[in-house]
Amino acid sequence: MGELSHRERIEMALNHEEPDRVPIEFGGVNNTIYEKPFYWPISPKYGYSALVNYLGFKDLSQPQMLPSNCVTLFDDRLLDRFGVDFVSYVMRAPRGQDKMLSDGTVVIAWGIKAKMVGYYWEIFDGPLRKPKITFKDIDSLETPDPEDPVILENVRSEVKELRRKTSRAIVGVPTMAENIFHHYSYLRGFSQMFIDMKKNPEIFRYLASTILDIHGSIVEAFFSECGDYIDFALLGDDMGTQQAPFVSPEEYKIYMKPYHKGLIDRVKSVTDARIYFHSCGAVFPLIEHFIDIGVDVLNPIQPLAKGMDAEALKRTYGNRITFCGGIDAQKLLPNGTPQEIEAEVKRVIEILGKNGGYILAPSHNLQGDVPPQNIVAMFDAALKYGKYR
């Protein structure tokens, strides 16, 4: 088999066939790298700039940044160096109040508030954060407009041009509209979400339905514009801790699955793109439900989370879903040696890569504590050991 195009390689892997090599993801939304914005008060030890300098690349333009202070669009030279098969197209965030208060708090869409914490913007308050709310409180929310020109302007022409310029698979990313229950927690608070679920299920369902209605309309409008030119639509909600899912599989089926399915159905109503779903943590008990609602790729596969070891995942679900991630970013990549990283990449590819169904990537964003030589070791090992022939 000769060398395949990026899209051919990925398509074979998703069909659980062995292409020329294991596909590689880096520079997307959930497998990217930290970079300090020019205005940020704290500098990490490493990050995107350290990686670029280590590789000796010159004259790279200022990278496009996500609200997470991670890079979203990379210079093609970097992607080529690592054999990356994906590139992202990120929707511009819907307009909200979008103002900075005197204490540095930023108010964004839905009236959600964020502030600088450590290396990141962190959401810390929302308009429904009180123990008891009514249907009227939910109806009074200032929600984004799905037809906001900030969301839709130039999307079709930009993605069409990106498709013309790159042979990499394009992942369409609908920014804050990609989730349901993250947003619920932003509005109500994380603990209160579960209290609502059990003690006030009418409110829980009404607010979740409201979020689905708005986010569903946004993703439908966004993917109506770009869906002809993308390969994947990214959605996601973190559903797991390090030890277990946030809810049991039975609770997920009753309380959360209908809303994830609803959002996926809205996407699929306007595009044939595959569903790339992000959920951190120990979500092994929920994967059957993810498959049932139409998830094609599950990311980021955190190997240190309980039950997320490569052997169990491949044995149980390896011919029904594609796994993306699996190279530990919690301990191995920040603290390991290049030799240890090479050995682990080889091991994971031998397990998850057998018969396709695997995309190699770090198990989450590369934080500012990951030395550039370890990043290089990971991707060089992927190119070395990922060959099928």
Side-chain angles (χ1 to χ4, degrees), residues 37-176:
F38 70 90
Y39 57 83
W40 209 257
I42 303 172
S43 295
K45 187 174 182 181
Y46 304 114
Y48 178 71
S49 294
L51 176 61
V52 167
N53 292 335
Y54 179 82
L55 293 169
F57 290 144
K58 306 294 183 183
D59 304 319
L60 267 69
S61 58
Q62 181 69 24
Q64 183 174 324
M65 304 289 289
L66 295 162
S68 60
N69 291 349
C70 289
V71 179
T72 181
L73 286 181
F74 289 74
D75 189 288
D76 279 343
R77 288 171 288 178
L78 189 67
L79 301 181
D80 290 340
R81 170 65 180 80
F82 293 141
V84 174
D85 294 291
F86 295 79
V87 67
S88 294
Y89 179 81
V90 181
M91 184 186 81
R92 289 172 283 272
R95 247 194 309 255
Q97 287 82 352
D98 290 342
K99 60 184 178 182
M100 181 174 284
L101 306 180
S102 59
D103 64 354
T105 295
V106 174
V107 183
I108 57 177
W110 294 80
I112 292 167
K113 295 179 181 179
K115 61 183 177 182
M116 288 184 179
V117 179
Y119 293 137
Y120 301 100
W121 287 105
E122 297 286 354
I123 290 169
F124 72 97
D125 198 8
L128 299 178
R129 292 205 180 189
K130 53 186 179 181
K132 293 185 178 180
I133 60 170
T134 65
F135 296 144
K136 184 176 180 181
D137 291 325
I138 297 171
D139 291 338
S140 299
L141 285 168
E142 295 186 41
T143 60
D145 177 5
E147 297 182 1
D148 184 342
V150 170
I151 297 172
L152 302 179
E153 190 173 19
N154 299 324
V155 166
R156 189 168 185 82
S157 61
E158 290 174 359
V159 180
K160 185 177 180 180
E161 177 63 10
L162 179 61
R163 186 81 178 187
R164 185 189 68 80
K165 289 170 57 178
T166 184
S167 65
R168 292 183 171 89
I170 301 173
V171 183
V173 183
T175 322
M176 290 180 74

Side-chain angles (χ1 to χ4, degrees), residues 15 55 95 114 120 129 136 174 177 214 261 287 302 308 322:
N15 289 334
L55 293 169
R95 247 194 309 255
Y120 301 100
R129 292 205 180 189
K136 184 176 180 181
I214 299 300
K261 184 179 186 301
I287 293 176
Q302 292 179 269
M308 299 300 287
T322 295

Side-chain angles (χ1 to χ4, degrees), residues 11 28 30 46 76 142 192 235 245 311 320 323 345 367:
E11 185 65 22
N30 297 301
Y46 304 114
D76 279 343
E142 295 186 41
Q192 189 63 49
L235 302 173
E311 293 88 348
R320 301 174 61 203
F323 297 113
V345 169
Q367 305 300 323

Side-chain angles (χ1 to χ4, degrees), residues 168-190:
R168 292 183 171 89
I170 301 173
V171 183
V173 183
T175 322
M176 290 180 74
E178 69 192 41
N179 59 61
I180 301 293
F181 298 105
H182 269 321
H183 228 79
Y184 194 116
S185 69
Y186 298 158
L187 293 166
R188 287 284 282 147
F190 187 74

